[in-house]
Amino acid sequence: MKTGFIQFSPTLGQPETTLGQLDPLLDAAKEADLIVLPELCNSGYHFEDKAMAASLAESTSDSPFIRFLEAKAKAHDQYIVSGFHEKEGALLYNSSVLVGPQGWIGTYRKLHLFWNEKDIFEPGNLGLPVFKLDNGLTLGMLVCFDWMFPEAWRSLALQGAQIVCHPSNLVLPGFAQKAVPIHALINRYFVVTANRIGTEKTLTFTGMSTIANPKGEVVFQAGAEEERVYSTELLTEMADNKWITPRNHALEDRRPDCYSLG
Ligand code: ACM
């Protein structure tokens, strides 16, 4: 399963410019079976205010951005996961969409909003879905600051996710890049964190997009500032083996009767 990410700098408030940037980048990733793009890829991140945010949001059924991804996924016979600035009626969500050769497949809406995102977006209301693809892969999605909440990562493992796609606009210095391989290790699955680069007003994004494997190893990490298209072959079946020792299983040895998770 050739899997990777595109690390780049979407252009705030100029979706057509961003599509122009993405066009050759996605063509450069055409050999990948699955490619992950950063958070809020269709809009940029640091909105002036809610009105600006609302003017840039798209509904899934009427989104030039999703139609563009669908065309690329079909042309390249691949799956694409991307951060998506979504509106449903008057409500805004910081979402991630899964698109395949057959079109839009599903959406996850970020559960854990970061800092001033709380002034703009509704917290996600679609739970933590996993998607079984035609090629046999079981995939979950999380968005950026979700990295901080192990319950979300575990929930995807318990539903059989072999890979977690993690569109991001990370700003805290290297924290998520440290946590992601640990989430991969303790859940014994793959993680692809697609972070962005560049600066929007006071925020500088930290790059270092990361692919981690079920052993907690960093398969690849991009630089902090480079634009990068990367993909590599992943043995996703590795994620089905949850045995740590012949007598220790990452999921079955849990003691939920002793955990009070509130
Ligand atoms: C973040 O959740 N965009 C830091």
Side-chain angles (χ1 to χ4, degrees), residues 216-236:
E217 294 162 346
V218 174
V219 175
F220 182 77
Q221 188 166 71
E225 295 176 6
E226 61 172 340
E227 185 171 275
R228 189 73 194 240
V229 178
Y230 179 82
S231 66
T232 188
E233 202 63 50
L234 300 180
L235 286 175
T236 45

Side-chain angles (χ1 to χ4, degrees), residues 118-141:
K118 294 186 179 194
D119 299 331
I120 308 258
F121 299 107
E122 305 300 310
N125 59 357
L126 298 178
L128 289 158
V130 300
F131 299 89
K132 182 119 183 137
L133 307 185
D134 288 347
N135 61 14
L137 184 75
T138 305
L139 174 158
M141 298 185 274

Side-chain angles (χ1 to χ4, degrees), residues 35 44 62 95 104 135 143 168 174 198 210-211 241 253 262:
I35 201 86
D62 185 23
S95 299
W104 171 86
N135 61 14
V143 174
S168 295
T210 300
I211 300 179
N241 179 4
D253 279 15

